Amino acid sequence: MNIKTTLLAGVVALAPVAGFAADLTIGFSQIGSESGWRAAETTVTKQQAEERGIDLKFADAQQKQENQIKAIRSFIAQGVDGILIAPVVATGWDEVLEEAKDADIPVVLLDRTVDAPEDLYLTAVTSDLVHEGNVAGQWLVDEVAGADCRIVELQGTTGSSPAIDRKTGFEQAIKGHDNLEIVRSQTGDFTRSQGKVVMESFLKAEGGANICALYAHNDDMAVGAIQAIKEAGLKPGTDIKIVSIDAVPDAHLALANGEMNATIELTPNMAGPALDAMEAYLADGTMPAKWIQTESKLYTAKDDNQAVYEMKKDLGY
Ligand code: AHR
């Protein structure tokens, strides 16, 4: 299988269920546009809806849960057929999900999980977020091969399921490896700008030479941190090893240039399986699995990252 076929495989497996979509109206409460990955997910969701003839009502919450709750209530008042939610944080959803349930409107969660009873939503389309952190941690364990390594961590948005789970997974992987230690850990809110600012503070507090590796919960923060590392006169990817999550085009470019060492892919196509499940449920009541898991693939410098970068750009990332 060549690179393009491999990358498209996940998408092909998520091909739409033909014929069910006519005249559906679906509300989509998106978190915002904090990262390149998020922008790609928005693009893919709109494409998926258009291909299926779905009228997609899109609401950008600008990172605020209160805006998401308002949007969901507005979708309910409009009588939409279904609702997609990418939940910014994990808690505080029960009441509004109850309201959707009372109105018989199925809800599908995209890319993040919530701490709410499972009967309040139809299904959740997400990666295994703990596993992603685990893969990142295991990669670093193997990479340093027993050498001492002081790690700094850029966490995602506080209270979001990927920030919680990616931290947990990474810590599980390095547990018992006394040569590895997380010496600083702070949120960079999944943004490039905060990734840079927080990395600058890590470099100042620790001294660049005392940091062996950066674990960032997403690529955008890692890319911001790369800038900070360069401005501190160090070589990202060499002086400080960098592992992160998403595999957006800029991360492949950084890998190709030797400025990043590893990233774990998160498909932006959550909407494909989400709309498949929604359409089947609305057509004949088919109940999907409670969790539709997307793939997590590790990319390192050994891959042809220049080719993957170009291919992903072509796909409209
Ligand atoms: O929930 C998925 C995460 O949200 C992505 O990894 C990150 O880039 C985004 O902001």
Side-chain angles (χ1 to χ4, degrees), residues 34-35 37-38 111-112 162 166 190 217-218 245-246 266:
E34 73 280 2
S35 64
W37 185 88
R38 181 72 49 202
D111 72 84
R112 297 186 183 182
R166 287 172 182 170
F190 282 132
H217 291 189
N218 82 343
I245 296 168
D246 278 352
L266 178 68

Side-chain angles (χ1 to χ4, degrees), residues 154-160 162-164 186-190 216-218 221:
L154 282 168
Q155 296 180 36
T157 301
T158 305
S160 69
I164 297 163
Q186 202 177 308
T187 183
D189 213 11
F190 282 132
H217 291 189
N218 82 343
M221 292 190 293

Side-chain angles (χ1 to χ4, degrees), residues 111-308:
D111 72 84
R112 297 186 183 182
T113 54
V114 295
D115 297 336
E118 287 193 349
D119 66 318
L120 294 184
Y121 56 90
L122 185 65
T123 183
V125 183
T126 76
S127 59
D128 184 334
L129 297 159
V130 174
H131 175 69
E132 290 170 342
N134 231 287
V135 172
Q138 191 55 53
W139 175 83
L140 190 59
V141 167
D142 296 342
E143 177 72 11
V144 301
D148 285 343
C149 184
R150 292 162 56 83
I151 305 160
V152 294
E153 178 183 28
L154 282 168
Q155 296 180 36
T157 301
T158 305
S160 69
S161 63
I164 297 163
D165 292 348
R166 287 172 182 170
K167 180 166 186 55
T168 301
F170 187 85
E171 286 174 353
Q172 282 172 357
I174 65 167
K175 197 171 174 197
H177 297 275
D178 296 340
N179 55 315
L180 296 170
E181 186 193 358
I182 299 174
V183 293
R184 301 256 159 196
S185 181
Q186 202 177 308
T187 183
D189 213 11
F190 282 132
T191 68
R192 214 170 264 222
S193 57
Q194 275 307 297
K196 179 169 187 281
V197 167
V198 178
M199 189 68 204
E200 281 165 357
S201 75
F202 288 161
L203 289 161
K204 202 169 164 201
E206 292 295 323
N210 297 318
I211 299 172
C212 144
L214 163 68
Y215 167 44
H217 291 189
N218 82 343
D219 287 340
D220 276 68
M221 292 190 293
V223 169
I226 286 173
Q227 193 56 37
I229 294 167
K230 283 185 186 169
E231 286 173 15
L234 296 165
K235 279 193 178 160
T238 305
D239 296 328
I240 298 179
K241 294 185 188 302
I242 301 175
V243 55
S244 66
I245 296 168
D246 278 352
V248 295
D250 282 354
H252 288 292
L253 204 54
L255 278 161
N257 295 337
E259 294 185 339
M260 193 186 276
N261 307 88
T263 184
I264 296 127
E265 185 170 49
L266 178 68
T267 177
N269 187 5
M270 302 282 160
L275 292 174
D276 285 351
M278 188 78 90
E279 287 174 336
Y281 175 76
L282 291 170
D284 61 9
T286 301
M287 290 301 289
K290 213 71 216 181
W291 180 26
I292 300 174
Q293 187 185 339
T294 61
E295 285 174 37
S296 306
K297 175 175 161 40
L298 175 70
Y299 282 91
T300 68
K302 289 181 191 144
D303 294 291
D304 186 350
N305 286 288
Q306 186 64 40
V308 181

